[in-house]
Amino acid sequence: TYCIEALIEYEQGRFYDCQLAVDHVETMLKEWGISVDSTTAAVIKIPKAAVLYSWNQLNGAKDLLTRYLPLIEECSYIEIRNMAFITLARVFHQQGQTETALSLLDRSLEINSECSLARSKILMCCERMKILITSNRLGEMHRQMRSIGMKPSQFPKLPNEWDRLECLQIFVWCLYKTNLEPHSNLIPTIEHMQKLSLKYERYHHMMEIMLLHVRLLCTLQQSEQALSMLLESLNWAENEDYLRLYLDQGLEIENLLRKLLKRTGLPTEKEKFIRRVLAAFDVLEQEKFKLQTNYVPSRYEQSPQNILQVDEL
């Protein structure tokens, strides 16, 4: 029951409430003397790892997932299992191991094929497309659309109520069109899905749609509208520390955040959050630089405790 509660809180974008549910279960497991390496304990560690990823604590998320995913890989509640594979794939992708990330999603599809669950297939397709976009492998996205039987040329019928499968399909369609066939006629569809996710309190999904909306507006060179939408997204992001959601968007969002920071009259809390995200972007760039094959750590990085702080040259 607490595990389902944690999942609901996560899906609704309430990361701190999700963490509270996880903490409660972990306390109970200790009181009952249940081993931390049991399947029971493993199940509740997955939402915890997903929250850590959202808070940009990649190493903590990776440690939990590599330890506990084997315990639930083939026998667990499917939403927990999907969350585990997706989060670990995201971690590996962000650490430069894209092929490992894609193979994890393939492994999840292989397991789920026995259940014939359509939503799981579309969910993994969505994650693959996000990885392909950030890896600049846009040519492979059409194949992903075909794999789930969607036609990019056909506008989807917009629902008036929230349906998990239908809304996920529309998001995948919007993701494809925004990156391969951006046009202003996509805006009404994105706006409708944004309002629908707000109405049904799917805040996590809403945030993803809002940032997709921002990127579309940028592509259409509507920079002021893009900045306004990005600023609106911060109303939700700063309260739950949606760090990773912004970091996963890349340079385009980073540049927009820097422009926002220059605006006068920006509320203090928003300014603090933007600075936190930008600081994380700076760290991300340093890590990417270190992954380059010709990078050699300087003597200062090898023994930083022995040197004084210096200016950037």
Side-chain angles (χ1 to χ4, degrees):
T1 303
Y2 282 110
C3 188
I4 298 296
E5 182 187 346
L7 279 176
I8 291 170
E9 299 293 3
Y10 179 83
E11 284 297 318
Q12 292 187 324
R14 292 193 278 262
F15 297 148
Y16 284 100
D17 287 341
C18 176
Q19 188 72 8
L20 282 174
V22 170
D23 291 344
H24 186 81
V25 177
E26 289 182 330
T27 301
M28 287 196 303
L29 293 178
K30 282 183 182 178
E31 291 173 353
W32 295 342
I34 295 176
S35 170
V36 293
D37 290 316
S38 67
T39 306
T40 307
V43 169
I44 199 62
K45 298 292 185 181
I46 305 308
K48 183 175 186 176
V51 169
L52 289 177
Y53 179 85
S54 299
W55 289 341
N56 197 35
Q57 298 178 30
L58 267 61
N59 290 333
K62 186 177 181 180
D63 289 346
L64 286 175
L65 292 164
T66 51
R67 179 177 179 181
Y68 291 105
L69 179 55
L71 292 173
I72 64 163
E73 184 174 4
E74 293 192 32
C75 183
S76 179
Y77 175 46
I78 195 164
E79 294 295 340
I80 287 289
R81 200 167 64 203
N82 284 343
M83 178 181 273
F85 275 109
I86 286 170
T87 308
L88 188 56
R90 288 173 178 174
V91 172
F92 275 116
H93 175 55
Q94 294 306 323
Q95 294 183 340
Q97 300 180 56
T98 299
E99 292 308 318
T100 303
L102 292 172
S103 67
L104 277 167
L105 298 177
D106 288 340
R107 171 63 180 152
S108 182
L109 274 177
E110 180 187 337
I111 297 170
N112 288 337
S113 65
E114 300 171 9
C115 310
S116 301
L117 291 177
R119 183 176 173 275
S120 293
K121 187 174 182 180
I122 297 169
L123 193 61
M124 295 307 155
C125 171
C126 183
E127 287 302 316
R128 285 185 69 90
M129 287 176 73
K130 290 176 186 176
I131 290 174
L132 294 174
I133 289 165
T134 56
S135 303
N136 201 29
R137 292 162 59 174
L138 301 182
E140 298 176 45
M141 289 177 66
H142 191 68
R143 186 169 54 200
Q144 289 298 308
M145 291 290 279
R146 286 202 310 270
S147 73
I148 58 173
M150 293 191 72
K151 297 179 180 178
S153 59
Q154 186 175 335
F155 270 68
K157 183 180 178 182
L158 299 180
N160 293 317
E161 296 182 356
W162 186 270
D163 178 273
R164 298 174 75 204
L165 177 59
E166 194 175 3
C167 291
L168 181 60
Q169 285 177 311
I170 295 172
F171 179 77
V172 170
W173 184 86
C174 290
L175 195 63
Y176 177 94
K177 297 290 280 187
T178 298
N179 286 278
L180 290 184
E181 302 171 13
H183 194 277
S184 58
N185 61 8
L186 299 176
I187 292 177
T189 300
I190 290 179
E191 287 179 340
H192 179 86
M193 297 310 296
Q194 189 176 314
K195 290 174 183 175
L196 195 65
S197 55
L198 175 61
K199 177 182 175 182
Y200 285 88
E201 299 183 354
R202 296 285 180 148
Y203 301 125
H204 196 173
H205 191 77
M206 184 188 74
M207 289 291 295
E208 286 197 296
I209 295 171
M210 289 178 85
L211 291 184
L212 187 63
H213 195 173
V214 170
R215 289 179 50 225
L216 176 61
L217 290 169
C218 281
T219 305
L220 299 175
Q221 298 183 338
Q222 300 180 23
S223 55
E224 278 306 309
Q225 292 93 323
L227 284 170
S228 297
M229 181 59 61
L230 184 61
L231 185 61
E232 185 181 341
S233 76
L234 296 174
N235 294 333
W236 308 91
E238 61 183 329
N239 294 327
E240 297 291 342
D241 287 334
Y242 274 84
L243 289 171
R244 196 70 236 179
L245 190 62
Y246 291 92
L247 296 174
D248 289 348
Q249 304 298 317
L251 184 62
E252 195 170 43
I253 293 297
E254 180 185 1
N255 290 336
L256 285 177
L257 286 170
R258 294 192 186 281
K259 287 181 182 178
L260 269 184
L261 202 57
K262 294 176 182 177
R263 282 192 169 183
T264 56
L266 195 66
T268 304
E269 291 304 313
K270 279 190 176 58
E271 182 181 338
K272 286 181 180 177
F273 182 73
I274 291 173
R275 290 190 185 280
R276 284 181 61 205
V277 177
L278 291 175
F281 266 118
D282 289 339
V283 172
L284 199 61
E285 286 304 308
Q286 293 168 18
E287 293 301 317
K288 284 181 181 177
F289 182 67
K290 290 178 184 179
L291 286 173
Q292 294 176 10
T293 53
N294 61 348
Y295 175 77
V296 179
S298 71
R299 63 188 179 89
Y300 305 115
E301 289 175 286
Q302 292 166 357
S303 53
Q305 67 274 13
N306 298 328
I307 63 166
L308 296 173
Q309 183 104 13
V310 294
D311 270 343
E312 282 189 8
L313 185 57

